[in-house]
Structure formats: structure tokens, C-alpha cells
Amino acid sequence: MTVIERFLKYVTFDTQSDESTGVTPSTPKQMVFAQYLKTELEELGLKDISLDENGYLFATLPSNVDHEVPVVGFIAHMDTSPDMGGENVKPRIVEKYDGKDIPLCAEENIILSPANFPELLDHVGEDLIVTDGHTLLGADDKAGIAEIVGAVAYLIAHPEIKHGDIRIGFNPDEEIGLGAHKFDVKKFGAKWAYTMDGGEVGELEFENFNAAAAKIRVKGRNVHPGYAKNKMINSLLVANEYASLLPANETPGTTEGYEGFYHLIGMEGEVENTVLSYIVRDHDREKFEARKQALLNYAAQLNEKYGEGTVTVELKDQYYNMRQQVEPLMHIIDIAFAAMQEAGVTPKVKAIRGGTDGAQLSFKGLPCPNIFAGGLNFHGRYEFVPVQSIEKAMNVVVKIAELTAKRYC
């Protein structure tokens, strides 16, 4: 089975996660996919295969050298985003893309167009795997799983390529921020690892946002509107006033690169009670802490105006920038950089404007930078992945295994 055949099979499994369930995995359908993968790894002849009750699947490709080599891991997540339907995914391959519009569903005029997605033009002449316009594709992160399994199968078929022990790990619930929470780093047993969860070809990432979630609760006072003067406090209006205090040029739509932001992701309420939901992001830890403090300061400013307790802020840190954990071990970046070059890929070292399981795993003692998986436009109907990108990512995994063994011979 080729790496592309594996990917096309994997996306037929509906594995959306659900943050509302409070269990791990958050949806039972993720375990169905995990069981399928476990059987596939058994058929490949991998060792130390384990699938725990939380849906974490580990396995080992044993070393084929007689010298000691650090155990290297490769990790990908099984779930897909709750943002768009993942049931009955119907992928198709657009061969030798010509740079024009791609009708995903002509009947409903759902078009994947370079006018809206100019990154398509970077892949003219390649074979693009697309959706039918009614679901996401699932390249995030089933492309990563296919690349890892494909690389392992390739190494088994080519014993002349020398490598140390290779650990692979597939986990649930990354899309809801819980992928690393029950990941047993000690059991996994790798010295370091790579998540295959990036986007465009060549991406190599060891920096990510520091991240927090914020709930802003506004308590109003409701009285009959005919007699409300100097009595009513409309929590909806106060909430709107709070939102207006945040810098208008520090949102996802106005920032890029290393620029942080506040992102209003939800607003619900009535006169008496309103809740604003924010996520807060910044690569710089000091700026991150200052952003959180600013949210508290804005609440204090409105409480002075409307009365103590009108606005309260709940803050919860989600993950931190992995750079401080990876930077002392830059040889793991050097190996990945060299592996890309040997695989014919130009490395693009960049900071993630988001987070990965690797960020949390790095703080749990498993340094874990992120490598491209090849997909684009994740989490929606316009998601696509070039066949050639998947193949290149698989080759990078093979090269990392090979170069690590050479480095420590």
C-alpha cells in the first residue's frame, strides 16, 4: 500500500473530537480509527504495540544497527476539527493542477479558487487531493499519520537504510487542546520526537504561541425600560464597551508573524448576564503575561465605573512556547533541517501562529518540534493536500531516522 493509498483510506474514518464530553478520547469514533491503525501496525510487524483506554497508540520499529542510537519518536493526532463535518469524506485527486478554479461541488457552486486561495498557485503541475465541498478533508492530521506509517513501511522494506529504535505515537483530541494531556512520555520512551502536523512543504517549527483562554463575565441590572434611568445596567452594552477597550489592531485579522493578539471567539448574553470568550496569544512570554494583565485592568476600569463585581475575568493558561525547551537541544533541529535538504525540500524555519501537541510534550520532558505534513486550508471544505507534499514528508521521516543513526555511529 502506498502512502497515498493509506491517506485516502484514513480520511474515510470520521474522527472529529468534541470538547463538551469530558472524556478521553472525547468521541468513541476516534477509538475505532485507533483500533484500525493498531491492526495495521501489527501487520507491518512493529513491536511494543500498545493502545490504552484513552486512545493513545504507541509502537516501535526496532533498531537495525549494532551501536547505540537515541530513540527518536514521530507523533501525529487522529482527531479532526469540530469546525466542519468529517463524516463521509469523499476525496478526489485533481491530476496535474493547471492553476484554474477547481469545482468541488458544481451543483452548489462550491469552488476552490486561486482568487481566494492564492497558495494553490504554488502547486501548479502537482496532483491535489481535495474534498467534495461538503466536509473537511482531514489532512490535519491524517496526512501526518500516513507519512509516519508510510515511512516505517519503507524502512522495513529497505533494511539497507540503517536506523535506531523508532517510536511512533498517535493520540486523540489535539484539535480541542487535549492531545498531550494523557500522553505518557515515560512509556513512550523517546529521547526526542517530531510532530508531523505542520502545513506547507518545508515548514520546520520549534516556536509557538503562549496561549490562554479568558472568560469575561458581565453582570447587569435589569429593570423595566420605562423606568430604567440611572438604574439599569445592560450587561450587553457593558460587554461591548469592554470589547472596545481592547486594541483594534491586535486581532487575528490584523496580525502576522510574531505579533500577538486577542481573539473574541464567543459572545452570549442578555441584559442581566453576558459572557465574552477570548483566546490570548503571544510568542513573547513577557508580552503574553502583559496581555493577561491588560484583561484584568480593563475589568477594573469598568468596575470603577459601574460598581465592583460588574465585570469578572477568568484566565486559564493553555500552553507555552516550546522554544525554551528545544533551544538547548538544537541538534534535533539540525537533523531535521539536513533531512529536508537530503529529501529535496527547502527548509522554512518559522514560528507557529498556534500550538501543537509538541508544545505541551516539550514541557512534559519530550522535546518535540513540528514538521510539515503538507496540507493547506485546514478545518474547512477548501482543505487540500498535494500528493507530492505527502510523499516528501514521508521521505523526510525516513531521512531523519537515517541521519540520526549516522550521527551517533
Side-chain angles (χ1 to χ4, degrees), residues 121-122 130 147 167 247 270 381:
L121 298 178
D122 295 330
V130 301
E147 291 150 8
R167 284 288 271 170
E270 63 284 322
R381 69 182 79 244

Side-chain angles (χ1 to χ4, degrees), residues 376-392:
L376 297 102
N377 299 340
F378 293 147
H379 298 187
R381 69 182 79 244
Y382 300 105
E383 183 182 7
F384 72 93
V385 59
V387 165
Q388 290 78 6
S389 297
I390 291 178
E391 293 171 340
K392 289 175 181 177

Side-chain angles (χ1 to χ4, degrees), residues 111-132:
I111 307 296
L112 178 59
S113 172
N116 298 318
F117 303 101
E119 59 270 24
L120 279 164
L121 298 178
D122 295 330
H123 299 281
V124 171
E126 298 182 0
D127 306 315
L128 309 185
I129 305 175
V130 301
T131 75
D132 68 353

Side-chain angles (χ1 to χ4, degrees), residues 13-27:
F13 288 86
D14 178 14
T15 58
Q16 284 181 295
S17 46
D18 182 349
E19 64 182 351
S20 70
T21 65
V23 297
T24 308
S26 64
T27 52

Side-chain angles (χ1 to χ4, degrees), residues 61-329:
L61 175 63
S63 171
N64 63 0
V65 298
D66 56 8
H67 62 274
E68 187 174 344
V69 179
V71 179
V72 178
F74 295 93
I75 298 168
H77 63 89
M78 295 179 288
D79 65 316
T80 58
S81 171
D83 292 347
M84 180 95 192
E87 186 177 6
N88 296 320
V89 173
K90 295 174 182 174
R92 67 181 175 93
I93 300 177
V94 178
E95 297 183 351
K96 296 182 175 58
Y97 173 58
D98 60 7
K100 299 178 181 178
D101 287 357
I102 301 173
L104 302 179
C105 180
E107 295 80 6
E108 299 179 28
N109 197 35
I110 302 173
I111 307 296
L112 178 59
S113 172
N116 298 318
F117 303 101
E119 59 270 24
L120 279 164
L121 298 178
D122 295 330
H123 299 281
V124 171
E126 298 182 0
D127 306 315
L128 309 185
I129 305 175
V130 301
T131 75
D132 68 353
H134 296 99
T135 67
L136 48 66
L137 177 62
D140 181 13
D141 191 23
K142 287 168 183 164
I145 296 174
E147 291 150 8
I148 293 168
V149 176
V152 167
Y154 187 88
L155 288 169
I156 292 170
H158 293 82
E160 71 276 10
I161 301 175
K162 302 305 178 184
H163 59 84
D165 283 346
I166 303 298
R167 284 288 271 170
I168 65 176
F170 302 136
N171 59 268
D173 293 338
E174 188 270 354
E175 296 291 359
I176 58 173
L178 300 175
H181 282 211
K182 296 183 180 180
F183 193 108
D184 190 334
V185 167
K186 183 177 181 180
K187 178 181 177 181
F188 191 61
K191 192 73 172 178
W192 70 83
Y194 303 92
T195 49
M196 302 298 296
D197 194 19
E200 183 63 275
V201 167
E203 287 183 358
L204 174 57
E205 302 156 325
F206 63 95
E207 296 181 78
N208 59 278
F209 276 140
N210 296 290
K215 292 282 189 186
I216 316 301
R217 302 186 186 277
V218 183
K219 183 178 180 181
R221 182 192 303 137
N222 197 7
V223 296
H224 190 289
Y227 307 92
K229 186 174 182 180
N230 298 325
K231 299 174 184 177
M232 178 184 286
I233 298 176
N234 188 325
S235 74
L236 290 161
L237 296 178
V238 177
N240 185 62
E241 188 175 349
Y242 183 94
S244 71
L245 293 173
L246 276 66
N249 62 344
E250 296 181 14
T251 69
T254 59
T255 54
E256 61 183 351
Y258 284 91
E259 296 170 333
F261 58 73
Y262 303 93
H263 181 25
L264 178 60
I265 60 172
M267 184 174 186
E268 183 178 0
E270 63 284 322
V271 172
E272 289 234 339
N273 292 284
T274 297
V275 178
L276 303 175
S277 298
Y278 281 91
I279 59 173
V280 183
R281 301 289 188 264
D282 211 297
H283 289 95
D284 184 278
R285 186 63 180 267
E286 288 188 8
K287 292 181 180 178
F288 173 64
E289 297 298 334
R291 288 186 181 280
K292 292 189 294 180
Q293 184 59 50
L295 293 179
L296 297 172
N297 294 344
Y298 297 143
Q301 180 177 331
L302 292 178
N303 283 335
E304 186 174 346
K305 179 178 180 179
Y306 293 104
E308 192 63 35
T310 301
V311 182
T312 58
V313 179
E314 298 174 12
L315 287 166
K316 182 179 180 182
D317 286 359
Q318 296 170 308
Y319 51 82
Y320 302 109
N321 191 341
M322 74 171 95
R323 178 172 185 142
Q324 70 184 75
Q325 303 301 109
V326 174
E327 206 162 32
L329 303 166

